[in-house]
Amino acid sequence: MTTGPSRSGALTLGDNTRIDSARLWDSLMAMAQIGPGIAGGNNRQTLTDEDAQGRALFQSWCEAAGLSMGVDEVGNMFMTRAGEDPDALPVYVGSHLDTQPTGGKYDGVLGVLAGLEVARRMNDLGIKTKHPVVITNWTNEEGARFAPAMLASGVFAGELSLDYAYARKDMEGKSFGDELARIGWRGTEKVGARKMHAYYELHIEQGPILEAEECDIGVVTHCQGLWWLEFTLTGKEAHTGSTPMKMRTNAGLAMARILEMVQEVAMDAQPDAVGGVGQMQFSPNSRNVLPGKVVFTVDIRSPDLEKLTKMRSQIEARGAEICAELGVGCTIEPVGHFDPVTFTPELVTAVRGAAQKLGYKYRDLVSGAGHDACWAAKVAPTTMVMCPCVGGLSHNEAEEISPDWAAAGTDVLFHAVLETAQVVE
Ligand code: HGY
Ligand code: MN
Ligand code: MN
């Protein structure tokens, strides 16, 4: 390829061709207006009206860029830029537009809008590729409203059934299937019918390494595995004032001891292991009633499958012991899982080569967070690109990146995707 210009100037594809970082940033800021949080981030949870608005905006941008839309039975959005070879499987590029309830503006959104910027830049340059390119928005990546995380990409990959997904319920008892239909995004395309030539996902690191090492790019080689274990503890509702201590069946105390134990198990499993709890429900959740029921989800992760499996069995066994000692009922239901993932070396090499060619400082990285790419890797050659985020902070409204970091990640994504989709002169 001839050496292309920097950000402005004549638009010809070259080794140094960059995406339009101002256009990308404008799109990120426009999307961030939908489902605003209360502290500068976003609350655009899956299958809410805000999610529907975000989807419609993304659809309008894609259609303005000449992409055609397909929507499958779980609401995954596929926006296609045609290739020259009608028989060639597409290169998919995507992530998710749904956010945590107190989410940031970039988690997932960067990957979807970077995919759109790749298509827009291809249009600017009149690039033709052998393989079509498909920009993807996966439904319910976060798993905040409906567990598990990466639900729709899990159905797409054949790891979770359509009925299981439709039946998942949120805290108000609303089902995924009903809410998907209510917002008008329950597509007719058979989920999982699409075959991929490759899948790329750009995502913020959601960890501190890249910023601390002043790297622009994470060349993601692996993603750690995960278990979500939902504990339901059954105690006895009783007066917090008049019930003598020795007469209590205290599910709240059992929960506290289990949380302490999870911390201990994760610390004993260092390095490369994490464990904690983010969501908990007391019922009746009244200040002066001992809880009759406590429900919470333990989140444990490690890149080492043996370690992850051992942590799970330790936590389940010791959790049951704690409850038995206190006379508290205990059931444990796995509500999320994927094994550690190794991404496809050829695609990892394409990412590394793009970072090198563009002069970005990069380092190999294992993803701490889960991503739709973890399920895509089950059905197609897959890898990820990461860019830094400020202080490694994510799943917090203060999540922040710089326009340069967003542009660097998208530049690398652009060149890696073109290498795989094969530019046709
Ligand atoms: O939980 C995760 O790792 C992702 O943010 N859904
Ligand atoms: Mn994400
Ligand atoms: Mn997330």
Side-chain angles (χ1 to χ4, degrees), residues 96 98-100 107-108 141-142 203 206 369-371 394-395 399:
H96 61 93
D98 68 309
T99 75
Q100 287 286 336
D107 171 0
E141 188 280 341
E142 289 295 357
H203 207 287
Q206 299 179 296
H371 303 284
S394 184
H395 285 194
E399 177 187 279

Side-chain angles (χ1 to χ4, degrees), residues 195-207:
K195 301 304 168 209
M196 299 178 174
H197 178 61
Y199 175 78
Y200 282 98
E201 181 164 355
L202 168 63
H203 207 287
I204 60 171
E205 180 196 346
Q206 299 179 296

Side-chain angles (χ1 to χ4, degrees), residues 117-343:
E117 176 53 33
V118 166
R120 284 168 165 171
R121 202 44 152 182
M122 291 171 76
N123 290 345
D124 294 342
L125 295 159
I127 291 173
K128 290 187 172 61
T129 51
K130 175 186 176 200
H131 296 267
V133 173
V134 178
I135 318 305
T136 306
N137 168 35
W138 299 104
T139 305
N140 190 40
E141 188 280 341
E142 289 295 357
R145 187 180 175 197
F146 301 99
M150 294 97 79
L151 177 57
S153 51
V155 179
F156 181 90
E159 294 294 318
L160 302 167
S161 75
L162 184 58
D163 290 347
Y164 172 81
Y166 280 171
R168 302 305 291 160
K169 289 207 172 13
D170 68 7
M171 295 281 217
E172 293 166 17
K174 291 178 184 165
S175 77
F176 177 95
D178 290 348
E179 284 293 280
L180 183 64
R182 182 187 67 80
I183 67 165
W185 282 91
R186 186 162 164 171
T188 52
E189 201 182 280
K190 179 140 187 55
V191 55
R194 285 172 175 262
K195 301 304 168 209
M196 299 178 174
H197 178 61
Y199 175 78
Y200 282 98
E201 181 164 355
L202 168 63
H203 207 287
I204 60 171
E205 180 196 346
Q206 299 179 296
I209 297 169
L210 294 177
E211 185 188 41
E213 296 185 10
E214 296 180 346
C215 283
D216 311 297
I217 296 293
V219 178
V220 187
T221 56
H222 300 79
C223 182
Q224 66 177 349
L226 160 153
W227 277 105
W228 280 1
L229 305 171
E230 187 175 87
F231 279 72
T232 301
L233 307 187
T234 308
K236 186 176 177 190
E237 291 182 19
H239 198 298
T240 51
S242 55
T243 309
M245 294 304 278
K246 61 179 186 310
M247 285 178 65
R248 297 180 177 208
T249 307
N250 193 336
L253 176 59
M255 177 276 296
R257 289 184 180 171
I258 289 170
L259 264 59
E260 184 65 43
M261 176 270 289
V262 168
Q263 173 75 11
E264 214 179 287
V265 166
M267 293 313 290
D268 289 349
Q270 293 306 306
D272 303 328
V274 291
V277 171
Q279 182 191 64
M280 180 176 314
Q281 284 169 289
F282 268 45
S283 55
N285 203 30
S286 168
R287 288 178 186 77
N288 45 6
V289 178
L290 291 169
K293 192 163 97 169
V294 178
V295 181
F296 57 98
T297 301
V298 172
D299 179 331
I300 52 174
R301 310 198 193 196
S302 173
D304 176 329
L305 181 59
E306 197 182 322
K307 186 177 280 189
L308 181 65
T309 308
K310 187 173 170 220
M311 285 166 70
R312 176 187 173 188
S313 52
Q314 285 174 318
I315 286 167
E316 290 184 339
R318 291 176 61 181
E321 281 165 18
I322 288 167
C323 290
E325 283 157 19
L326 294 169
V328 168
C330 176
T331 61
I332 305 169
E333 182 197 350
V335 292
H337 171 63
F338 54 86
D339 284 346
V341 176
T342 300
F343 289 124

